[in-house]
Amino acid sequence: MNNTPSLTTSTQDIELKPSYALPLALIIGSIGLIPIQLLLAALISIFGLFLMVQTALIRLKFTEKSLEVYRSQKLIRDFPYEDWLNWEIFWQPLPILFYFKEVKSIHFLPILFDAKMLQTCLEERCPKKLS
C-alpha cells in the first residue's frame, strides 16, 4: 500500500495572481469607523495599506515539489510538500487566511492572491491526508 500523497499529473509551475480584495476591504471598511473610533480606523487603514504593499511584492509559486515564496522576483523561502501535515483556507466563501502546518512549524498567510487557484493548487499538489 502506497502511503505517499500523489502529486498532480501536471508538473507545470503555477504562480498565483495577486488579489487586492482583502487590503481594499480593510481600507474601505476603516472609512466607516472614522465617526465611531478614529484611532481604530487609522490602525485598520494602515494595516490595509501594509497588506496592499505586500500584495504588490509577494508572489506564491506552486512547483512540482514545493510552494515557493518570492518577494520582488527573489526567492525568499520554499516549502516542500513532503513536509506538509495539513492546510486550510479559513472563512469560506470569503477566504481571508491561509494556514498550513509542516513537520516543524505552522504558517499563516493572509489571502493576497487568487483564492480559487490557491485551493485548486493545494488540492492537486498537496492533497489533505485522511486521518
Side-chain angles (χ1 to χ4, degrees), residues 1 10 15 18-19 25 30-31 34 36 39 52 66-67 69 85-86 92 97-98 105-106 109 115 117 119-121:
M1 183 173 173
S10 170
E15 183 175 309
S19 169
S30 69
I31 294 170
I34 291 173
I36 301 166
L39 180 60
M52 183 81 67
S66 68
L67 171 64
V69 181
L85 299 175
N86 193 17
Q92 298 288 353
L97 190 64
F98 167 46
S105 61
I106 62 172
L109 297 170
M117 185 56 81
Q119 177 93 28
T120 300
C121 288

Side-chain angles (χ1 to χ4, degrees), residues 4-124:
T4 51
S6 62
L7 295 177
T8 182
T9 54
S10 170
T11 57
Q12 179 181 8
D13 291 355
I14 298 174
E15 183 175 309
L16 300 181
K17 293 179 182 175
S19 169
Y20 292 90
L22 180 59
L24 285 173
L26 288 171
I27 293 167
I28 292 168
S30 69
I31 294 170
L33 288 173
I34 291 173
I36 301 166
Q37 178 57 264
L38 183 59
L39 180 60
L40 182 60
L43 291 174
I44 292 173
S45 182
I46 290 169
F47 183 59
L49 289 171
F50 168 75
L51 289 180
M52 183 81 67
V53 170
Q54 293 303 309
T55 303
L57 296 177
I58 302 295
R59 294 292 174 268
L60 296 184
K61 182 186 285 187
F62 284 87
T63 67
E64 183 179 357
K65 299 202 183 282
S66 68
L67 171 64
E68 298 179 344
V69 181
Y70 290 83
R71 181 182 299 130
S72 301
Q73 323 295 302
K74 181 182 177 192
L75 178 65
I76 56 174
R77 183 99 193 259
D78 77 321
F79 301 96
Y81 306 130
E82 65 187 24
D83 294 342
W84 290 38
L85 299 175
N86 193 17
W87 60 265
E88 194 71 43
I89 297 175
F90 290 108
W91 296 296
Q92 298 288 353
L94 182 64
I96 61 170
L97 190 64
F98 167 46
Y99 152 86
F100 67 99
K101 181 177 182 183
E102 291 184 290
V103 174
K104 296 182 182 180
S105 61
I106 62 172
H107 308 277
F108 291 93
L109 297 170
I111 301 290
L112 303 176
F113 23 79
D114 182 346
K116 288 181 182 178
M117 185 56 81
L118 171 65
Q119 177 93 28
T120 300
C121 288
L122 288 169
E123 289 171 351
E124 288 178 353

